[in-house]
Amino acid sequence: MIKCKSSKSSMVNGVQSNISAFFVSKAFDGGSKQMLNGTIVHDIFQKAAISSDFSPERIQTFAAEALKSPNYLGQMYSLKLTQADMRQEVEEYLPSLSEWAKNYLHTSPQAGQKQLTLKLPSDGALSKQDATCSVTVTDFMDIEENIWCPRFGLKGKIDVTAGVRIHRRGRKPTERIVPLELKTGKETNSIEHRSQVILYTLMSSARRCDPEAGFLVYLKTGTLHPVVGNHMDRRELIKIRNSLAHHVGNNRIKIDGKSQMAPLPAIVSDQQACKYCPQKRNCAVYNRALERDPVENCSEYPQAFVQSESEHLSQVHLQYFSHWLLLCTLEAHTMENKGGRRNIWLQTAQQREKSGGCAGNMQLTGDVSVLSDGVYKHSFERKVGDQTLTGLIVGDRIVVSDQDSVLIGLATGYVTEITVSGVICSLDKNLSKYSSNTVFRLDQDEGAGGLSTHLGNLSMLMENTPTRPPQFIDSLSSVLPRDAKDTVANILKGLNKPQKQAMKKVLLSKDYTLIVGMPGTGKTTTICTLVRILHACGFSVLLTSYTHSAVDNILLKLKRFKIGFLRLGRAQKVHHDILPFTEESCRAKGIQTLEELEQLYNKELIVATTCMGVKHPIFSRRRFDFCIVDEASQISQPVCLGPLFYAQRFVLVGDHQQLPPIVQNAEARSLGMDESLFKRLEHHSDAVVQLNVQYRMNSAIMSLSNALMYEGRLECGSERTANAVLQLPSRAQVEKELDLYVCQPQYSAWVQAALEPNSPVCYLDTSEVPAPETVEKSGISNHTEAILVQALVTLLLKAGCRASDIGVIAPYRQQLKAISSLLQGDAFKALEVNTVDKYQGRDKSVIIVSFVRSNPEGNLGELLQDWRRLNVAITRAKHKLLMLGSAPTLRRYAPLEKLLCHLQQEDMISFENESLIAEFVKFSLMQVTSSSCLLLPMRRYPESTCDKNKNLFRF
DNA sequence: CCTCTGCGTAGAGGA
């Protein structure tokens, strides 16, 4: 869909429009006083319209409220404007707002006096003869009506949807519902303004009776201009739309199986238009980097800016730009196809419900309450009561449409609560005006924004700034302030050697430092300490990571040391204990003036947010001494760059031997999109410091990862870590029970080892069991492995292990489902079943890994081919690591082959056959069924039923 | 083949 805003640069000019479709980042169109004024005046007009009160007093009140609203204060901060400036600007408009209402609003006493000239369509329902008429607005039907119109491929927001009465001399008045477009700029009545109204008229016609006309409201003068688009006008606009859509939609082509950026239409040669175009740099860099026939080779050469905007860039820079533009384009395409908004109109609610992420057949119940300005609380109930709701989760962003996908995108908002038969959510629109039997669908809204942050950052990287290889300062004494020395020395006391080295490296860096944190080496602690040291030295720090939870992890630690910080980001995503530090909470304590806001933004040395949060107004002004990026090895390059622009020096913390950034498009991945900035910069070994002393795994578990990935560099931090084993208080009892229960000649070595604290690593080869995989559309699972996991967990719990100390890991979601469905009940509640990816950064005392894949010659998935994923899976356990899988299948994966070889050498593999496994499973399951509560003492068997000397299982 | 987290939007006007 193409946005309807009809400014010259986005709708009319070929190349410019394409460039602006790529780069919609704020950074290039940072706004202006006039734009902010426009927004605020719109706001005031719309508030007056909602309350049907355009009296000067009321309008003054609305203006005063707007001038201290959080959002506008933020923008004033960005633009370095004062509230007084802004007030003056806005107040100029207020009288004409009242004036406009007096002239055109029918509730006003002398309404309908103004004569307008309508240019009527020749075949229109309006009259041909008299072009002069008067118009009154009778009703405000909607404000900021959101229209997504698949029929024309257009989307947009209509400022005001109004009922109007058109009077013509000697005729009966005509009633229409028409779009009003408000303008605060010059009364140009220009082609751009008129085109925008024509498109809105067209979009309105898809929702209701064709209004045939719309109106431009110029608020500076308070005048109203009718705009009637005839068939030809509409056709021409749609043609422009189609050509733009074509270039945006077909921005990549495949040649010999390889994708590349498709050529754009010829660059425009309008010096006047280019002069002020916000996309100037992007246009120039794009042209230099991607066009086969760059303009400098052209004979006529009107775009001198292409040269001046890009001459600082070398071939390497341009290559980086075009390479990542392609990668982002490929990835954006895949993401859009996957969970894009188009499914709202392409799929019925029933279809979409099956794949999850949609709730159809919903009706409004109860009243809609106003939570705050522009936030309305709605309760929906399922019309057909017996169906359970699937897919939607609290916190999801949603789009509300009507069930038949005619009124698409009526409102957007967030799910706040899920009940048995309904959903409660906060929406940006009040839907109570729709009749009570309107049926709605709520769709999960995934891919908003696309990759605009990536591209915006990429563009910013192309800015003309000095570059150089990493440099370092010679001595610490020159960086440490004298009065901070003692504090710093004190803080350093708690650290181990590599951690201390890391601190030193950071302090001595002039540009950047990479901290490689191998599993369990205390990355969070190290970052926390680093922040404390930098804080003590009086440095400002921007603290970021890709996820909210990673940011909050560090902040939770920092909070304990009473270090002050400001946390940016949506309250709903922030950890509960960190909420008091968020901008939102601080503002709630009463920020009315720009000075107070500036104070808040500048108060703390430490500011924390996610990498994607760099669009915040604070970054248009504030700069930091250091930027620390946690989990940097999991962040794609263009995203990681974002926060770095705002700091003098930066520190990336991560481990490229663990999971890389997620890239959905296979081609983009193969072209290197999953290479993080962390990995790329690791080549500068001067800037790298390794944390190799770990406090998580005991020595046996650690040895796996050392053999697989770290070539023996990983060390245990203490004897205690190295020798720590699983404590199972009731183990003896369980083993006795086992003895009593199963008395067969082949005692299961594996089951015994699984419970034995002194064998921390056990691998069960299920190839003889056998345990074949199941491949379904929804994913891959392995039922037998799931049962074995259940049996093991049951046994561990029985032996006295706490459920919260056990973690189950599988590479596939479908397997997690299979396992979870077996582990129902309160006793398993605290147990965590999750994917490898989700376990990154975490640990548990006991980890059970189910590898799932087991087939004689079938396909190998991509997941298990990745060394890094396996490395993560085997480094989560502190005391005991139990693995299940079919060795012959798994040996076809190179990483697993290496792991299995090592396990074999160490004699950590057991083979079991079907009957043994069956007995073991039967035993453990019997325990489940025989006692409803697992943690009660076990039923005792009579002594006589067991032959003690044999120490065997028995039926 | 199947791993998943971030993003509030669309439009504010200038020349």
Side-chain angles (χ1 to χ4, degrees):
Chain A
M1 283 222 203
I2 299 297
K3 285 181 217 166
C4 207
K5 188 197 169 197
S6 103
S7 79
K8 206 178 198 170
S9 63
S10 64
M11 285 305 289
V12 183
N13 298 328
V15 172
Q16 274 180 311
S17 59
N18 283 282
I19 294 289
S20 83
F22 286 134
F23 297 95
V24 279
S25 169
K26 223 177 162 187
F28 307 101
D29 203 356
S32 62
K33 184 162 135 187
Q34 290 83 351
M35 285 161 96
L36 179 53
N37 174 62
T39 314
I40 296 175
V41 174
H42 269 73
D43 190 349
I44 297 167
F45 184 98
Q46 291 171 337
K47 290 236 167 67
I50 289 170
S51 63
S52 293
D53 187 351
F54 280 82
S55 65
E57 307 76 49
R58 202 53 202 271
I59 283 180
Q60 279 291 343
T61 318
F62 289 134
E65 276 170 19
L67 284 164
K68 59 184 181 188
S69 91
N71 185 18
Y72 301 142
L73 279 183
Q75 290 192 47
M76 285 180 229
Y77 172 89
S78 285
L79 295 166
K80 292 191 176 176
L81 296 169
T82 66
Q83 274 169 299
D85 283 344
M86 218 51 236
R87 180 172 301 117
Q88 198 185 359
E89 193 83 7
V90 168
E91 273 179 350
E92 261 181 55
Y93 285 81
L94 304 184
S96 49
L97 259 62
S98 302
E99 188 67 16
W100 179 87
K102 216 159 85 189
N103 288 330
Y104 298 107
L105 203 58
H106 97 294
T107 47
S108 307
Q110 314 107 333
Q113 299 300 307
K114 288 274 172 173
Q115 298 290 302
L116 299 168
T117 305
L118 281 162
K119 239 190 185 171
L120 300 167
S122 55
D123 55 350
L126 298 169
S127 160
K128 290 174 201 172
Q129 298 104 16
D130 53 348
T132 311
C133 61
S134 68
V135 170
T136 48
V137 173
T138 54
D139 202 1
F140 293 114
M141 314 291 292
D142 208 341
I143 299 295
E144 299 254 295
E145 182 184 9
N146 191 38
I147 300 190
W148 293 352
C149 176
R151 187 173 152 204
F152 300 115
L154 295 168
K155 65 177 175 182
K157 278 197 160 122
I158 298 176
D159 282 338
V160 180
T161 309
V164 295
R165 188 176 297 135
I166 303 168
H167 311 263
R168 268 154 301 173
R169 216 171 302 135
R171 286 172 155 269
K172 252 177 85 181
T174 334
E175 305 269 348
R176 290 283 160 85
I177 297 174
V178 300
L180 306 187
E181 170 61 22
L182 313 181
K183 294 289 176 199
T184 46
K186 281 185 198 155
E187 187 176 340
T188 57
N189 201 17
S190 60
I191 183 80
E192 288 86 11
H193 287 176
R194 301 174 65 85
S195 300
Q196 189 180 5
V197 176
I198 293 169
L199 288 171
Y200 285 151
T201 314
L202 195 59
M203 286 155 64
S204 294
S205 74
R207 279 208 173 167
R208 58 185 74 88
C209 166
D210 188 345
E212 295 181 16
F215 293 87
L216 278 165
V217 181
Y218 285 103
L219 296 174
K220 204 172 217 164
T221 48
T223 50
L224 195 64
H225 284 266
V227 179
V228 182
N230 62 30
H231 184 71
M232 285 301 276
D233 294 331
R234 291 179 172 189
R235 203 176 80 130
E236 285 308 307
L237 284 167
I238 289 294
K239 276 164 76 179
I240 296 171
R241 178 262 164 220
N242 287 346
S243 118
L244 176 57
H246 173 263
H247 289 292
V248 174
N250 298 287
N251 51 8
R252 73 234 164 262
I253 43 167
K254 267 204 164 160
I255 294 173
D256 301 331
K258 286 181 190 164
S259 291
Q260 51 180 269
M261 296 303 291
L264 289 179
I267 191 163
V268 291
S269 48
D270 179 346
Q271 273 193 50
Q272 206 47 41
C274 293
K275 199 171 161 190
Y276 298 100
C277 177
Q279 301 292 343
K280 209 154 92 171
R281 183 174 73 226
N282 292 326
C283 186
V285 177
Y286 187 96
N287 193 274
R288 283 280 309 282
L290 282 126
E291 293 297 329
R292 266 140 294 240
D293 194 18
V295 281
E296 63 229 86
N297 302 336
C298 298
S299 47
E300 74 256 44
Y301 183 34
Q303 298 89 358
F305 76 91
V306 171
Q307 186 60 34
S308 63
E309 288 283 325
S310 66
E311 59 195 355
H312 60 285
L313 299 170
S314 69
Q315 269 311 309
V316 178
H317 298 138
L318 294 171
Q319 266 162 25
Y320 186 87
F321 178 86
S322 58
H323 181 61
W324 280 93
L325 185 62
L326 175 66
L327 297 182
C328 292
T329 305
L330 291 170
E331 180 69 358
H333 185 245
T334 301
M335 282 174 72
E336 206 172 295
N337 275 352
K338 235 179 176 173
R341 278 179 171 167
R342 65 178 71 175
N343 287 334
I344 299 175
W345 55 88
L346 291 181
Q347 290 185 349
T348 63
Q350 293 96 310
Q351 284 171 331
R352 187 115 200 269
E353 273 182 36
K354 275 182 199 150
S355 50
C358 176
N361 270 323
M362 306 297 282
Q363 278 183 314
L364 265 178
T365 57
D367 293 330
V368 172
S369 57
V370 183
L371 292 175
S372 62
D373 188 23
V375 186
Y376 306 90
K377 185 181 165 187
H378 291 71
S379 301
F380 292 97
E381 283 281 332
R382 189 83 149 175
K383 200 176 155 198
V384 191
D386 57 346
Q387 289 164 286
T388 46
L389 287 165
T390 51
L392 294 187
I393 310 167
V394 172
D396 273 355
R397 217 184 131 71
I398 50 164
V399 178
V400 182
S401 312
D402 78 315
Q403 178 76 6
D404 304 323
S405 304
V406 178
L407 309 171
I408 303 158
L410 289 174
T412 57
Y414 296 93
V415 176
T416 52
E417 207 181 317
I418 302 269
T419 62
V420 186
S421 57
V423 175
I424 299 172
C425 48
S426 59
L427 300 176
D428 62 345
K429 294 278 203 153
N430 188 334
L431 300 180
S432 60
K433 64 181 168 223
Y434 295 93
S435 85
S436 61
N437 45 25
T438 310
V439 185
F440 297 98
R441 59 184 285 184
L442 316 182
D443 285 88
Q444 213 175 57
D445 187 22
E446 288 138 32
L451 296 187
S452 68
T453 310
H454 298 61
L455 296 174
N457 291 344
L458 191 57
S459 168
M460 211 184 288
L461 188 68
M462 295 296 124
E463 223 178 6
N464 195 358
T465 50
T467 54
R468 62 151 196 269
Q471 291 178 1
F472 298 93
I473 302 161
D474 298 326
S475 80
L476 261 185
S477 55
S478 58
V479 276
L480 278 186
R482 195 166 299 159
D483 53 343
K485 265 181 188 153
D486 287 346
T487 324
V488 171
N490 237 342
I491 297 172
L492 283 171
K493 266 182 200 164
L495 298 183
N496 63 34
K497 212 171 148 195
Q499 286 173 329
K500 279 180 193 157
Q501 275 169 347
M503 302 296 124
K504 203 172 151 191
K505 194 109 195 170
V506 172
L507 287 167
L508 292 179
S509 70
K510 270 190 181 168
D511 310 281
Y512 62 84
T513 312
L514 303 184
I515 301 179
V516 178
M518 297 178 190
T521 51
K523 281 189 280 274
T524 314
T525 311
T526 308
I527 294 172
C528 177
T529 314
L530 178 58
V531 174
R532 286 167 62 206
I533 291 173
L534 296 174
H535 184 264
C537 295
F539 289 120
S540 57
V541 181
L542 172 58
L543 184 60
T544 66
S545 182
Y546 191 59
T547 61
H548 288 284
S549 65
V551 172
D552 289 340
N553 253 340
I554 302 165
L555 295 181
L556 286 168
K557 269 215 159 93
L558 218 49
K559 187 184 152 203
R560 279 184 237 149
F561 293 100
K562 310 267 180 239
I563 305 270
F565 52 82
L566 175 68
R567 168 72 156 100
L568 308 175
R570 262 184 50 214
Q572 202 159 60
K573 296 277 186 178
V574 174
H575 189 282
H576 175 264
D577 296 344
I578 299 299
L579 281 176
F581 302 90
T582 58
E583 179 185 7
E584 226 174 294
S585 319
C586 295
R587 280 189 161 199
K589 288 174 203 151
I591 281 189
Q592 303 267 320
T593 68
L594 197 54
E595 288 72 36
E596 287 166 336
L597 185 70
E598 280 181 27
Q599 240 169 43
L600 172 67
Y601 285 170
N602 292 318
K603 193 178 143 212
E604 301 293 352
L605 280 175
I606 294 154
V607 174
T609 184
T610 61
C611 289
M612 303 287 255
V614 291
K615 279 184 202 150
H616 191 280
I618 202 171
F619 299 109
S620 59
R621 308 244 318 252
R622 216 179 143 178
R623 293 296 175 267
F624 299 83
D625 296 313
F626 285 88
C627 175
I628 302 175
V629 186
D630 189 17
E631 292 187 337
S633 48
Q634 286 190 87
I635 309 174
S636 74
Q637 284 180 42
V639 175
C640 193
L641 287 169
L644 307 186
F645 294 129
Y646 308 111
Q648 289 289 316
R649 311 180 236 176
F650 63 87
V651 182
L652 304 183
V653 185
D655 178 5
H656 77 258
Q657 311 275 45
Q658 296 186 52
L659 285 168
I662 298 158
V663 176
Q664 309 203 34
N665 182 283
E667 192 182 1
R669 196 164 51 234
S670 73
L671 290 171
M673 196 180 183
D674 64 353
E675 185 194 54
S676 62
L677 189 65
F678 184 88
K679 192 171 176 191
R680 184 185 166 96
L681 294 180
E682 258 189 337
H683 301 306
H684 296 276
S685 54
D686 282 355
V688 180
V689 58
Q690 289 188 342
L691 304 179
N692 65 328
V693 177
Q694 63 89 25
Y695 299 90
R696 176 187 295 160
M697 299 163 272
N698 62 28
S699 49
I701 297 173
M702 183 185 75
S703 76
L704 297 188
S705 191
N706 257 339
L708 194 75
M709 299 296 263
Y710 298 108
E711 294 160 333
R713 275 172 294 150
L714 203 49
E715 290 170 21
C716 286
S718 67
E719 282 296 303
R720 221 176 107 197
T721 307
N723 301 325
V725 292
L726 180 64
Q727 299 301 324
L728 292 175
S730 316
R731 173 175 153 243
Q733 214 179 330
V734 173
E735 294 204 331
K736 201 167 171 190
E737 198 80 12
L738 266 166
D739 291 352
L740 292 168
Y741 176 68
V742 191
C743 292
Q744 293 253 318
Q746 324 92 315
Y747 185 87
S748 170
W750 176 68
V751 176
Q752 200 179 35
L755 290 176
E756 168 59 54
N758 293 317
S759 19
V761 179
C762 311
Y763 179 95
L764 173 68
D765 181 5
T766 59
S767 59
E768 299 292 318
V769 174
E773 68 186 35
T774 311
V775 180
E776 288 164 291
K777 202 180 165 194
S778 46
I780 302 160
S781 60
N782 189 318
H783 187 63
T784 313
E785 281 185 24
I787 291 175
L788 286 169
V789 169
Q790 178 198 20
L792 269 176
V793 167
T794 310
L795 223 54
L796 285 164
L797 292 176
K798 192 72 193 161
C801 188
R802 286 188 308 184
S804 58
D805 283 336
I806 307 175
V808 179
I809 300 185
Y812 304 98
R813 290 223 141 259
Q814 190 65 17
Q815 178 69 350
L816 300 179
K817 276 189 207 161
I819 293 168
S820 300
S821 68
L822 292 175
L823 297 178
Q824 295 295 322
D826 284 347
F828 301 111
K829 223 173 182 176
L831 187 119
E832 208 179 317
V833 183
N834 242 324
T835 54
V836 184
D837 303 58
K838 286 235 170 171
Y839 257 105
Q840 173 134 324
R842 323 231 352 261
D843 56 35
K844 289 272 178 186
S845 176
V846 186
I847 289 283
I848 306 173
V849 184
S850 166
F851 284 112
V852 180
R853 297 316 297 248
S854 171
N855 55 61
E857 74 292 297
N859 296 320
L860 300 174
E862 270 181 50
L863 287 191
L864 290 174
Q865 314 260 27
D866 197 322
W867 292 81
R868 298 163 292 194
R869 185 166 281 104
L870 179 62
N871 187 38
V872 171
I874 59 170
T875 51
R876 302 303 106 192
K878 291 194 261 193
H879 308 128
K880 204 156 195 30
L881 175 63
L882 305 173
M883 293 171 282
L884 303 164
S886 164
T889 302
L890 296 177
R891 280 191 194 280
R892 305 211 302 272
Y893 298 92
L896 276 149
E897 159 67 11
K898 191 168 178 187
L899 177 73
L900 286 164
C901 272
H902 177 80
L903 291 170
Q904 211 158 15
Q905 272 169 30
E906 305 286 321
D907 197 26
M908 290 167 169
I909 301 185
S910 304
F911 299 86
E912 303 287 345
N913 64 35
E914 195 167 6
S915 65
L916 272 174
I917 291 293
E919 284 169 29
F920 160 60
V921 169
K922 235 183 253 172
F923 167 76
S924 69
L925 292 184
M926 192 195 76
Q927 302 306 310
V928 186
T929 47
S930 64
S931 62
S932 58
C933 174
L934 278 164
L935 302 175
L936 284 177
M938 259 193 288
R939 204 175 73 214
R940 299 208 56 92
Y941 292 86
E943 288 281 322
S944 59
T945 58
C946 177
D947 182 351
K948 269 189 176 163
N949 299 327
K950 283 190 178 168
N951 193 21
L952 297 170
F953 281 115
R954 189 190 63 89
F955 266 114

